[in-house]
Amino acid sequence: MGTFLGYRCSVCGAEYSPEAVTYTCPVDGGNLDVILDYERIRDRTNLSDLMASTESSIWRYLPLLPVGDPGHLGTPLRAVGWTPLFSPPRLAEDLGLSYLWLKDDGRNPTASFKDRASAVVVARAQAIGAEVVVTASTGNAGAALAGMAAATGMPAVILAPRTAPQAKVAQLLIFGARVFLIDGSYDEAFDLTLEAADAFGWYCRNTGYNPFTAEGKKTASYEICEQLTNTVRAVREPPLQWEVPDAVFVSVGDGNIISGLHKGFKDLFELGWIERIPRLYGVQSHGSAAIYNAFVSGTEDIQPVEAKTLADSISVDLPRDGLRAVRAATQTGGAYIAVRDEDILGAVRELARKAAVFAEPAGAASYAGLTKALSEGLVGPMDRVVVLNTGSGLKDVNAAMKAAGEAIVIEPKLEALEKALR
Ligand SMILES: *Cc1c(COP(=O)(O)O)cnc(C)c1O
Ligand SMILES: [Zn+2]
């Protein structure tokens, strides 16, 4: 028997067996948390085994995942995750932080954090014998699903708003998915996807709807702790517990990444592999701040907004994982921070010019949030801080040009160059 016991509703607490439900709570539509058999995991696996693994992808954590090995067919899925965690000394100095790490998830196969979720969803789709996978997406979730589905030969259907950046649409098409650009918002694409999945019997990956996305995303928390341990430990023997940062910063749209990160840290805590859970900080754009609004008014009741931000990946009217996302901050002593679009563009520049990390706007928003959190005293100079970049800057070249300006065109002559240099 595996370690996947079933689901628990995040709203009413009802529990369901793995076969009883597919997506959300039938009673109230609440998001479902996957329940794992921690005792069994502890019996079968320990930190030394995990740290000795030669698998450099999310699949090194297979004993903690509710899916089986994706097998040889799924081999390209094995490039997902185990992204670098490194210290950027110039940024740390600017911010006055003694301990700062960036985790660059722009380095996934389809260049965003979403690969973690899509790889696990495709493994689940295989396990339940699904024939077609479908998702609504602002671009990245779709590109990730299209890529992972292509790797396994499973047809994928993607619904994205027609305003999605061109590079993301190109990714969808080049991976061979059936792509439909919706003349409407991401939220409208989301609702249409649910209808279509129901009507045509497709397996739906939608963020904040399919319980397996968070199970993929949680792997980033495992990596943060394991990689931090590798970075700071002096002796080479496996430790009894992993290191934990004090604070983790991540950009938030639907709220599924921050919920997944929270789940990952909770798993490790339940297993006794970390001694505490870090403070989680969710960063939203002022133009798309539904979860931030709920957090600052001290409620778990998420009111929709009319989202308008250049950070397209976090442009969401009604966050689909808002409740768990609020809790990720409240239950860990973290917070939500809202930043302006111009600060996000500034963060794109800073990350690139001082750490050589090229992030898309939504990926850099987390860094803008850290800057603000420091100015508000939410983070201290001795805190150990991890900032996640969730997407590559190559996905939205127009936004990068907005942040960086235009290049100068000159004639191929030294005088022309000299003149331009002045
Ligand atoms: C999807 C996405 C986010 C936000 O994740 P949510 O689960 O919607 O909160 C942040 N950054 C990038 C680059 C993304 O693609
Ligand atoms: Zn429920």
Side-chain angles (χ1 to χ4, degrees), residues 111-114 138-141 168 186 207-208 217 250-259 284 291 313-314 316 321 325 360-364 389-392 395:
S112 90
F113 193 99
K114 297 293 196 296
T138 60
N140 286 340
K168 296 184 183 183
Y186 164 64
T207 296
K217 289 169 174 181
V250 63
S251 314
V252 173
D254 271 318
N256 190 243
I257 295 184
I258 196 168
S259 302
Q284 296 207 286
I291 302 177
S313 302
I314 52 172
V316 175
D321 210 347
E360 66 165 277
N389 169 31
T390 40
S392 163
K395 285 185 169 265

Side-chain angles (χ1 to χ4, degrees), residues 11-150:
V11 175
C12 69
E15 296 188 2
Y16 302 95
S17 71
E19 304 77 36
V21 283
T22 310
Y23 301 116
T24 54
C25 177
V27 178
D28 50 32
N31 280 301
L32 300 177
D33 288 315
V34 164
I35 309 171
L36 297 174
D37 188 341
Y38 292 120
E39 216 165 302
R40 195 178 280 260
I41 294 172
R42 230 181 281 119
D43 285 348
R44 290 180 179 177
T45 320
N46 59 49
L47 288 189
S48 331
D49 297 344
L50 268 186
M51 295 183 85
S53 168
T54 54
E55 179 80 49
S56 45
S57 76
I58 59 169
W59 301 104
R60 69 193 281 109
Y61 305 111
L62 193 57
L64 287 78
L65 296 177
V67 289
D69 192 310
H72 74 275
L73 242 189
T75 302
L77 273 69
R78 297 208 119 101
V80 177
W82 203 243
T83 56
L85 178 83
F86 53 87
S87 11
R90 296 182 62 209
L91 289 177
E93 194 179 321
D94 271 13
L95 297 176
L97 282 172
S98 299
Y99 308 100
L100 174 66
W101 288 273
L102 289 178
K103 186 160 179 65
D104 187 5
D105 256 60
R107 301 216 211 168
N108 274 299
T110 78
S112 90
F113 193 99
K114 297 293 196 296
D115 282 343
R116 296 179 185 275
S118 291
V120 169
V121 167
V122 164
R124 176 65 179 168
Q126 286 181 322
I128 62 173
E131 283 169 6
V132 176
V133 283
V134 63
T135 196
S137 170
T138 60
N140 286 340
L145 187 66
M148 298 304 130

